């Protein structure tokens, strides 16, 4: 039970991080939020990497770090841009389709065979997305940019699925602290290329929330990594979908967002489909924030 409880705590911390990121994105935009968070996370991860036993990665490993950083950068920008335009529960619910995309990419890139139950699960997941979207645009008062926000979140799940494939390769050649350092460093460098035109100085009152976001992200990733190293995925996967419960609660408490029945129904279908699909490949059924 201890790994399960630790994993659930990690999910809670990452859910709180999503809410804090939404506040920062609304305040200074997604580019500056992700840029400053990546820079701060690089400093923290760099200090931890320097304090321990370390070795400089080879050129091929550096290329893998850089490739995954580009993919993660796209995931971060698209997901948090969409998060700022959607209720927290809807964005988290839509993000759960990532494992389904991962199963498809595993078949295309790794040659894995898709089982029949995974195909039916994917159809159920698509139905869940359609229900959520139907509920969104059936409301006359719904913001006009909700469609763009939904598209951004769904796009982030596709890139995140590819990120999962890269994460498998990365974990075989590098330690977690090295991955965290070079991933954040490469994201900061990539986004920094546009800094002369897009970057703005972070207001003083937002540095503490930014530090909190970074701490929540690193702590959540550490706890989930610790749990997955000590228990099989089949026991931990169900706890990951508690993120939707936290999203509903946090969205209601901090943003006055009320989850509609279409959001609850659609998210329920998506979660059920992911649980079914995970039985065919449990390694790929992971939440969107675990590797971000």
């Amino acid at each position: 039970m201890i790994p399960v409880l630790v994993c659930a705590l990690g999910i809670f911390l990452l859910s709180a991080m999503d809410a804090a990121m939404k506040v920062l994105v609304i305040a200074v935009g997604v580019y500056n939020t992700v840029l400053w968070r990546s820079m701060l996370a690089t400093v923290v991860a760099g200090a931890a990497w320097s304090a321990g036993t370390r070795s400089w990665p080879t050129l091929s490993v550096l290329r893998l770090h850089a490739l995954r950083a580009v993919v993660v950068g796209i995931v971060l920008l698209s997901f948090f841009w969409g998060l700022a335009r959607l209720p927290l529960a809807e964005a988290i619910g839509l993000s759960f389709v990532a494992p389904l995309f991962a199963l498809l990419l595993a078949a295309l890139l790794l040659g894995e065979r898709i089982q029949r139950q995974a195909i039916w699960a994917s159809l159920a997941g698509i139905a869940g997305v359609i229900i959520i979207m139907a509920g969104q645009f059936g409301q006359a008062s719904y913001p006009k940019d909700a469609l763009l926000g939904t598209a951004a979140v769904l796009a982030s799940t596709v890139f995140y699925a590819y990120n999962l494939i890269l994460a498998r390769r990365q974990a075989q050649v590098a330690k977690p602290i090295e991955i965290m350092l070079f991933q954040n460093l490469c994201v900061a460098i990539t986004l920094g290329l546009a800094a002369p035109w897009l970057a703005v100085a972070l207001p003083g009152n937002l540095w503490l929330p930014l530090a909190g976001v970074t701490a929540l992200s690193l702590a959540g990733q550490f706890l989930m990594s610790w749990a997955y190293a000590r228990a099989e995925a089949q026991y931990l996967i169900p706890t990951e979908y508690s993120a939707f419960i936290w999203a509903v609660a946090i969205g209601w408490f901090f943003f006055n967002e009320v989850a509609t029945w279409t959001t609850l129904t659609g998210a329920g279908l998506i979660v059920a489909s992911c649980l079914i699909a995970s039985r065919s490949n449990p390694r790929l059924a992971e939440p969107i924030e675990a590797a971000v």
Side-chain angles (χ1 to χ4, degrees):
M1 283 298 297
I2 292 179
V4 173
L5 293 175
V6 169
C7 186
L9 177 58
I11 291 295
F12 169 72
L13 295 180
L14 292 173
S15 299
M17 187 271 292
D18 284 337
M21 282 291 290
K22 179 170 183 172
V23 173
L24 289 171
V25 169
I26 293 175
V28 296
V30 63
Y31 171 82
N32 284 283
T33 300
V34 175
L35 174 65
W36 287 107
R37 192 191 86 162
S38 299
M39 293 175 65
L40 185 57
T42 298
V43 173
V44 175
W49 182 73
S50 300
T53 57
R54 61 190 183 279
S55 60
W56 192 259
T58 63
L59 184 59
S60 61
V61 174
L62 279 176
R63 283 198 294 264
L64 181 58
H65 288 329
L67 174 59
R68 188 176 176 217
V70 171
V71 175
V72 167
I74 296 173
V75 172
L76 290 171
L77 292 175
S78 55
F79 177 73
F80 289 119
W81 189 88
L83 181 63
R85 288 157 178 80
L86 292 174
L88 191 61
E90 287 188 10
I92 297 300
L94 290 170
S95 73
F96 286 153
V97 300
L100 303 180
F101 287 125
L103 289 169
L104 176 61
L105 289 179
L108 295 176
L109 301 179
L110 303 179
E112 295 185 4
R113 180 175 177 271
I114 301 180
Q115 299 184 16
R116 182 177 300 178
Q117 65 184 24
I119 296 176
W120 285 110
S122 299
L123 293 176
I126 293 173
V129 172
I130 293 174
I131 290 175
I132 292 177
M133 294 181 65
Q136 288 179 357
F137 308 116
Q139 302 179 36
S141 60
Y142 209 84
K144 294 182 179 179
D145 60 352
L147 177 60
L148 295 177
T150 300
V153 170
L154 291 177
S156 74
T157 63
V158 176
F159 283 98
Y160 180 74
Y162 180 48
N163 163 73
L164 284 179
I165 304 298
L166 294 177
R168 308 302 172 194
R169 296 169 52 192
Q170 207 175 22
Q172 296 174 352
V173 296
K175 295 181 179 179
I177 189 63
E178 177 186 317
I179 294 174
M180 292 173 65
L181 169 61
F182 285 95
Q183 177 175 301
N184 284 289
L185 176 61
C186 292
V187 169
I189 293 174
T190 302
L191 295 181
L193 296 175
W197 299 276
L198 300 178
V200 298
L202 200 66
N205 64 318
L206 294 182
W207 277 105
L208 183 59
L210 181 68
V213 161
T214 305
L216 288 171
S217 176
L218 295 176
Q221 291 178 43
F222 174 81
L223 290 177
M224 292 193 65
S225 298
W226 186 92
Y228 270 88
R230 289 162 175 80
E232 294 182 4
Q234 61 179 320
Y235 299 111
L236 299 178
I237 286 170
T239 67
E240 295 171 356
Y241 298 105
S242 63
F244 183 75
I245 299 175
W246 294 120
V248 172
I250 294 173
W252 170 77
F253 188 82
F254 289 101
F255 302 103
N256 198 30
E257 299 170 349
V258 179
T260 63
W261 71 269
T262 52
T263 299
L264 297 173
T265 303
L269 266 176
I270 293 172
V271 169
S273 67
C274 290
L275 290 174
I276 294 172
S278 69
R279 297 176 62 184
S280 63
N281 194 338
R283 297 179 301 109
L284 293 176
E286 295 184 357
I288 195 163
E289 278 300 324
V292 178

